[in-house]
Amino acid sequence: MRKRNKLLKVILKQAFFGILAASVVACSPLPDLLKKGDSLAAEGKTAEALATYAKADKYEKDTVQALCRAGALNLKLNRPDLALKAYEQALEKVPTSAHAYMGMARAYLAKGVKTTALKALSQAGKLAPQDPEPWFLRGLVLKQEGKLDEALTMFENAIKRKPRHAMAHLRRGDIYFSRGQAKEALRAYKLAVASNPGNDEAILQVGRTYLLAGKIDK
């Protein structure tokens, strides 16, 4: 009987603290602050948006939504150094944030520091192995560097994780097209169109590939 009562007390205590924690989360101003920051950013009120994100960050312990949004906004404004600062703060707070590593990679790419960007993308891929974007961005960097075989591997890895990744299919097609491999290029471009029928670039590339293959009527 005593053991049963003791167990019941433990269960009730855990339930109480669970309800209390849920109540604290429900009362957090974080969601409203993030929403407000997004609205201000959309209105072009940059300073106010960043100030709101900074305020929101104070209510985050295990997440870095506000810092990542601040980084993304600074990137949009072509301020990669400020973006890097936000993403570095995010990683100091949550070292396992794949989102922050992705943002850091984009900031380094904006600065033209490709080697460091690739390292950040590699880390993001390890932390979020099912996310296609680290693979896709690594493919873009490698393609720009002329490492086409490696780039193809990256695009294929992105497609494995998201079969309807229109841009990965499109960029694969570009590599095949540049090599004069019309059959492979056409297959890739058609997959890009099937994945996103509104992608004008993919539709245009289908036509160019038919020209490459000498099929002018198509």
Side-chain angles (χ1 to χ4, degrees):
M1 189 70 176
R2 287 183 178 178
K3 289 183 178 179
R4 185 179 295 175
N5 289 336
K6 187 175 181 180
L7 179 60
L8 182 60
K9 287 181 180 179
V10 171
I11 293 172
L12 289 172
K13 186 176 181 180
Q14 290 177 340
F16 170 77
F17 283 112
I19 293 170
L20 182 62
S23 176
V24 170
V25 171
C27 295
S28 171
L30 177 62
D32 288 337
L33 286 171
L34 290 174
K35 186 176 180 180
K36 181 181 178 182
D38 293 344
S39 295
L40 289 167
E43 293 171 9
K45 298 177 181 178
T46 305
E48 294 93 330
L50 291 171
T52 303
Y53 289 142
K55 187 176 180 180
D57 177 56
K58 295 177 182 179
Y59 294 95
E60 291 191 83
K61 291 184 178 179
D62 302 317
T63 58
V64 285
Q65 298 177 77
L67 285 169
C68 285
R69 292 184 192 203
L73 179 56
N74 277 311
L75 268 181
K76 185 178 179 180
L77 296 169
N78 196 29
R79 302 192 301 202
D81 287 327
L82 290 177
L84 268 178
K85 184 177 180 181
Y87 291 124
E88 286 168 354
Q89 289 175 347
L91 288 170
E92 285 177 8
K93 194 171 186 177
V94 182
T96 56
S97 174
H99 192 178
Y101 272 110
M102 284 292 294
M104 179 175 283
R106 290 189 174 96
Y108 276 120
L109 287 175
K111 288 170 63 68
V113 188
K114 294 181 181 179
T115 302
T116 308
L118 284 171
K119 290 179 181 177
L121 289 171
S122 177
Q123 190 62 28
K126 291 176 183 177
L127 291 168
Q130 297 307 313
D131 186 353
E133 292 313 302
W135 299 94
F136 175 67
L137 283 181
R138 286 166 72 184
L140 289 182
V141 175
L142 291 167
K143 182 173 177 288
Q144 290 173 358
E145 293 181 342
K147 299 176 181 178
L148 301 185
D149 288 331
E150 292 178 54
L152 275 174
T153 299
M154 293 300 129
F155 294 142
E156 286 163 3
N157 272 299
I159 291 166
K160 284 180 184 178
R161 287 158 176 79
K162 184 181 177 182
R164 297 181 67 83
H165 197 305
M167 294 307 296
H169 286 299
L170 183 57
R171 298 288 83 95
R172 279 178 71 241
D174 290 344
I175 292 174
Y176 290 130
F177 187 90
S178 70
R179 291 174 168 176
Q181 296 174 260
K183 184 177 179 180
E184 291 81 357
L186 187 59
R187 185 183 299 118
Y189 289 140
K190 283 186 174 181
L191 284 169
V193 174
S195 299
N196 180 8
N199 191 317
D200 294 339
E201 183 183 359
I203 296 169
L204 178 62
Q205 287 302 97
V206 169
R208 291 185 67 208
T209 307
Y210 277 129
L211 284 175
L212 177 67
K215 298 180 180 180
I216 300 174
D217 58 321
K218 290 191 176 182

